[in-house]
Amino acid sequence: MTTAKSGAALQPIPRVGLTWLLVAQLLVVLPHLGHLPLWIVGLWLGCAAWRIQIFRMRAPYPNGWIKAGLMLGTGFGVYLSRGGLIGLEAGVVLLIAAFILKLVEMRSRRDALVVIFLGFFALATAGLFEDGILAALYYLLPLTALLAALIGLQQTSLAADPWATLRLAGSLLLQAAPLMLLLFLFFPRIEPLWSLPGPRERGVTGLSESMTPGDIAELGQSGALAFRASFEGPLPERSRLYWRALTLEHFDGRRWSQVPEAAQVEPPLWEKHGEPLAYSIVMQPSNQPWLYGLDVAEGGPDDARLMADFRLQQRRPVTRPQLYRLTSWPDALREPEGSVPALQRALQLPERGNPQSRAWAAELRRRHPEPEALVQALLGHFGREAFHYTLKPPRLGRDSVDEFLFATRRGFCEHFSSAMTFVLRAAGIPARVVTGYQGGEFNPAGNYLLVHQFDAHAWVEYWQPPRGWTTVDPTFQVAPERIERGLQQALGEEQGFLEEAPLSLARYRGIDWLNRLRLSWDNLNYGWQRWVLGYQGEQQMQVLRSWFGRADLRLLGLTALAAVAATLLLVALWLFKPWRREGDAQQRLFRRFEKLLARHGLHRAPGEGPRAFAERAVQRLPVQAGAIRAFVELFEAQRYGGRQGTPGELARALRQLRRALPWRSGEE
């Protein structure tokens, strides 16, 4: 038996198997094109053409020297294009290259099976780079093609018909769908022993770890999605939607940045006040470890923690859409006692620079000795004077705060927050810059908020006892429409909103039908990310608790095993049909043929073959010899000869025989 199996594995590759293998390779490589070097396309075209010529017996198989050269050349190409052979991007390129090169080397069915299995792995890696709903639907095409290639390798009656092979592959995929659904619902989500790094080449835009004048204004030109947020209760007022990402405490004269993480080890002290807000967020990839949330946030992923500056951060960067749940207390009392290191950091300024701002801060402190009065005076100054909110602020020099406050007076949110924080520190009031997002677009189709990159914002926190850290927004004094209605309304007639992103549908929100279409499509994607990609860990447990009352790993495992066993049992019953005494359609029609002749005294003997039985019937019924032989020959051709046909054709031959017989008493 082992020899027979080995011989079968070494058989030549059928035409239909090779055809679908080439199609599958093309479909598998296509979604990788965005992160593959261009020479991979040339490699696949060359190997595919070579493989076709080998099949047509117009080209030889590559010898050992050629294979070694291709392997070394591919490795060298990966090294040059990816800067090494280690890492996710380099590993995927190597896998795709092996998937392609194996095409010209394969000689037998066993080799073709290796190529197909490589194809399944290569298709799985595509999900690391793109896992949206459209991508998931597309992945069904190469998956079906790989199954068709696998079926085409077998020497069956389908081997000569590619479309019949494709139909069978689609049928098998549909039959597997219930089992896949059950495994998705019930299979326990166990934390992996290791994790793959996220793709560095995935294009992301968003806040950075530092801020200089003009940085957030650049984000105002981007319509990319930052995250979506769903609240369990009523939607808060827009003026309360300050989504914290980072706290910037260090200032070098021009750039605001975070302090080293080592200084953020101790958790902050805060007191819960007011009503909490419960909500969930689906965050888009940022390649950064920080998370978004309203102050003060609790919850999130298992490895998330609240840092000393009240930002929420996890250990690993967010490299794919991530769902997490938070509870926030917007009215919480934050560090009423004050941490000495934190207050020292919140007073730090360079020794030199911005002399006008320092002098003005001293004058404000002399006129307003109470910190609260000074803060209100500073906010009133922004509201009274001719400051202008714009996406196109002028470039600032070395003394950027002086130039903004006393010369240009044109800026975006980071200009106002940076200037106010500097003046407060110069006046002896601890203050810091907070960056994140403000507001969001309400989607009535799904009752959630869309927060885009153009919603990026910067504001100010200052500290005074016993209130602790207090949030103020100088931008509101200059452009209240930005906080109450959004960036597009705040800019008014200024031609700057998403002008560098003409294809962004968010730019055309004024076109009613297009906006409804955009929001409906986004709602569909949100459901995909929340209930499919986000169906992990706690989400799975919550769903199962709502069904079964309780859920743990043991119950989950037993439920998964029971569901899989029940599904396999149903499939087995459907395939074998033990409740039916007759066989398949051909066999059932032959039994009717036997019953028909039995009414004329002809009974098939045990072990008698169809042809021998037919010849004996011809001797008894010579007038009907043609109809008898026609039915049996057609039955043998379909049953044993591999002829393509349908049960309907065999049934017509049986009806013709019934009409030819002299006695037509119905047998059923």
Side-chain angles (χ1 to χ4, degrees):
M1 182 176 292
T2 303
T3 304
K5 288 184 178 180
S6 301
L10 296 176
Q11 289 179 358
I13 302 169
R15 178 190 296 269
V16 68
L18 179 61
T19 300
W20 282 116
L21 187 52
L22 291 171
V23 172
Q25 272 206 336
L26 175 62
L27 295 175
V28 169
V29 172
L30 278 178
H32 286 279
L33 289 181
H35 52 270
L36 288 178
L38 290 178
W39 58 264
I40 284 287
V41 178
L43 180 67
W44 182 80
L45 291 174
C47 289
W50 193 348
R51 179 70 242 184
I52 293 173
Q53 292 301 98
I54 291 175
F55 185 82
R56 299 174 65 187
M57 303 182 72
R58 295 184 178 180
Y61 287 98
N63 57 34
W65 288 106
I66 294 177
K67 289 191 288 186
L70 287 172
M71 183 181 66
L72 291 175
T74 299
F76 188 65
V78 174
Y79 182 84
L80 290 180
S81 59
R82 292 296 176 265
L85 299 177
I86 306 298
L88 177 62
E89 288 82 4
V92 170
V93 178
L94 285 172
L95 177 63
I96 297 295
F99 180 43
I100 293 172
L101 289 176
K102 189 66 178 176
L103 187 67
V104 296
E105 184 194 25
M106 63 181 187
R107 295 172 178 263
S108 63
R109 279 188 359 191
R110 177 182 294 168
D111 297 330
L113 285 173
V114 173
V115 179
I116 291 173
F117 295 148
L118 282 174
F120 285 120
F121 280 107
L123 181 59
T125 60
L128 299 175
F129 296 87
E130 181 56 54
D131 51 13
I133 187 171
L134 289 180
L137 292 175
Y138 172 82
Y139 296 153
L140 293 175
L141 296 179
L143 179 60
T144 306
L146 287 168
L147 288 176
L150 190 60
I151 295 170
L153 293 181
Q154 315 305 316
Q155 296 296 329
T156 67
S157 59
L158 296 173
D161 187 355
W163 299 114
T165 307
L166 181 64
R167 286 194 296 271
L168 180 56
S171 175
L172 291 175
L173 197 60
L174 288 175
Q175 292 174 28
L179 183 59
M180 289 189 292
L181 179 61
L182 288 172
L183 289 174
F184 172 78
L185 288 174
F186 298 111
F187 196 82
R189 302 307 198 265
I190 302 173
E191 287 294 325
L193 299 178
W194 65 87
S195 61
L196 288 173
R200 295 191 303 270
E201 295 182 357
R202 170 178 270 175
V204 295
T205 182
L207 297 168
S208 63
E209 296 179 342
S210 61
M211 182 191 78
T212 57
D215 286 352
I216 297 183
E218 292 181 4
L219 281 183
Q221 306 283 359
S222 172
L225 185 67
F227 60 94
R228 301 178 180 92
S230 295
F231 287 86
E232 295 183 6
L235 191 69
E237 295 180 5
R238 185 183 176 91
S239 59
R240 295 172 64 87
L241 296 176
Y242 282 83
W243 306 95
R244 180 190 290 263
L246 294 173
T247 309
L248 308 180
E249 298 179 286
H250 180 75
F251 186 57
D252 64 2
R254 182 174 178 81
R255 179 181 298 274
W256 291 90
S257 58
Q258 295 185 92
V259 298
E261 189 171 334
Q264 302 286 342
V265 174
E266 294 296 328
L269 299 176
W270 58 285
E271 301 174 8
K272 297 177 181 179
H273 291 277
E275 293 296 324
L277 296 173
Y279 54 98
S280 61
I281 285 179
V282 176
M283 181 176 170
Q284 297 303 111
S286 65
N287 281 341
Q288 302 292 347
W290 57 74
L291 306 174
Y292 308 129
L294 302 173
D295 284 327
V296 173
E298 277 189 336
D302 293 337
D303 62 342
R305 58 177 178 147
L306 193 65
M307 308 297 285
D309 57 5
F310 292 97
R311 77 175 186 268
L312 197 62
Q313 183 166 309
Q314 63 181 14
R315 289 194 300 269
R316 292 171 292 185
V318 181
T319 57
R320 52 184 52 88
Q322 180 169 337
L323 168 67
Y324 56 93
R325 289 177 172 79
L326 297 174
T327 301
S328 292
W329 279 264
D331 299 321
L333 194 61
R334 294 177 287 165
E335 289 194 318
E337 301 296 330
S339 165
V340 174
L343 296 181
Q344 290 176 344
R345 292 195 299 267
L347 288 171
Q348 172 268 328
L349 285 176
E351 294 183 0
R352 299 178 181 178
N354 299 296
Q356 288 181 276
S357 299
R358 294 175 190 264
W360 184 46
E363 174 64 19
L364 286 174
R365 188 61 188 247
R366 184 185 64 79
R367 287 188 291 153
H368 305 282
E370 292 296 327
E372 292 297 333
L374 190 150
V375 170
Q376 294 304 317
L378 188 52
L379 291 173
H381 177 80
F382 285 122
R384 288 190 309 271
E385 301 298 323
F387 286 93
H388 186 66
Y389 183 73
T390 177
L391 262 176
K392 300 177 180 179
R395 297 180 63 87
L396 301 176
R398 177 180 300 177
D399 294 327
S400 58
V401 178
D402 281 358
E403 292 181 28
F404 169 69
L405 285 175
F406 304 106
T408 66
R409 295 194 171 187
R410 298 174 61 85
F412 204 54
C413 58
E414 67 266 36
H415 296 77
F416 295 97
S417 59
S418 174
M420 183 173 183
T421 304
F422 184 93
V423 173
L424 289 177
R425 288 187 174 188
I429 299 176
R432 57 195 186 190
V433 176
V434 182
T435 60
Y437 299 85
Q438 198 283 323
E441 178 186 11
F442 180 67
N443 188 342
N447 196 34
Y448 62 91
L449 282 176
L450 286 156
V451 181
H452 299 87
Q453 294 297 342
F454 58 72
D455 292 313
H457 195 56
W459 59 95
V460 179
E461 285 182 345
Y462 71 96
W463 185 89
Q464 282 297 305
R467 297 172 56 187
W469 291 103
T470 303
T471 298
V472 290
D473 191 352
T475 303
F476 179 80
Q477 307 300 318
V478 182
E481 300 87 357
R482 164 64 185 89
I483 308 304
E484 295 173 348
R485 301 179 61 192
L487 177 62
Q488 189 173 12
Q489 288 74 18
L491 293 175
E493 297 181 357
E494 180 179 304
Q495 300 298 316
F497 182 70
L498 297 182
E499 66 177 7
E500 297 179 7
L503 298 181
S504 174
L505 293 180
R507 184 179 181 182
Y508 308 102
R509 290 185 287 183
I511 304 176
D512 186 57
W513 69 268
L514 187 59
N515 193 52
R516 288 199 306 269
L517 182 64
R518 175 181 68 91
L519 294 177
S520 298
W521 173 247
D522 188 85
N523 184 41
L524 184 63
N525 277 281
Y526 181 48
W528 171 260
Q529 290 188 340
R530 186 173 183 180
W531 297 107
V532 178
L533 301 182
Y535 189 74
Q536 304 288 337
E538 184 59 29
Q539 171 100 353
Q540 184 186 38
M541 291 296 183
Q542 287 184 356
V543 171
L544 296 180
R545 287 191 195 103
S546 65
W547 291 353
F548 303 109
R550 69 181 185 90
D552 51 37
L553 286 179
R554 181 174 177 274
L555 177 63
L556 207 57
L558 292 176
T559 306
L561 289 175
V564 170
T567 303
L568 294 178
L569 178 61
L570 290 175
V571 171
L573 291 174
W574 182 78
L575 290 175
F576 296 105
K577 302 179 178 67
W579 61 87
R580 305 189 65 162
R581 296 181 179 178
E582 299 178 341
D584 55 22
Q586 295 167 345
Q587 192 65 31
R588 290 198 303 272
L589 289 171
F590 189 80
R591 291 182 182 278
R592 294 179 186 176
F593 169 74
E594 290 182 292
K595 292 179 181 178
L596 183 61
L597 294 184
R599 301 199 175 210
H600 293 268
L602 290 166
H603 299 276
R604 184 182 174 196
E608 187 177 18
R611 183 169 300 183
F613 179 49
E615 290 302 321
R616 191 158 57 85
V618 165
Q619 294 178 4
R620 176 74 65 87
L621 302 168
V623 177
Q624 291 78 27
I628 294 173
R629 288 195 175 107
F631 174 83
V632 172
E633 289 174 0
L634 183 59
F635 170 77
E636 288 181 333
Q638 290 188 6
R639 187 71 176 178
Y640 308 113
R643 172 180 170 180
Q644 295 297 312
T646 63
E649 186 179 0
L650 195 60
R652 285 193 296 272
L654 184 61
R655 285 196 297 271
Q656 291 175 0
L657 173 61
R658 185 184 297 116
R659 296 191 191 100
L661 290 172
W663 182 44
R664 298 184 182 178
S665 60
E667 82 260 28
E668 297 177 5

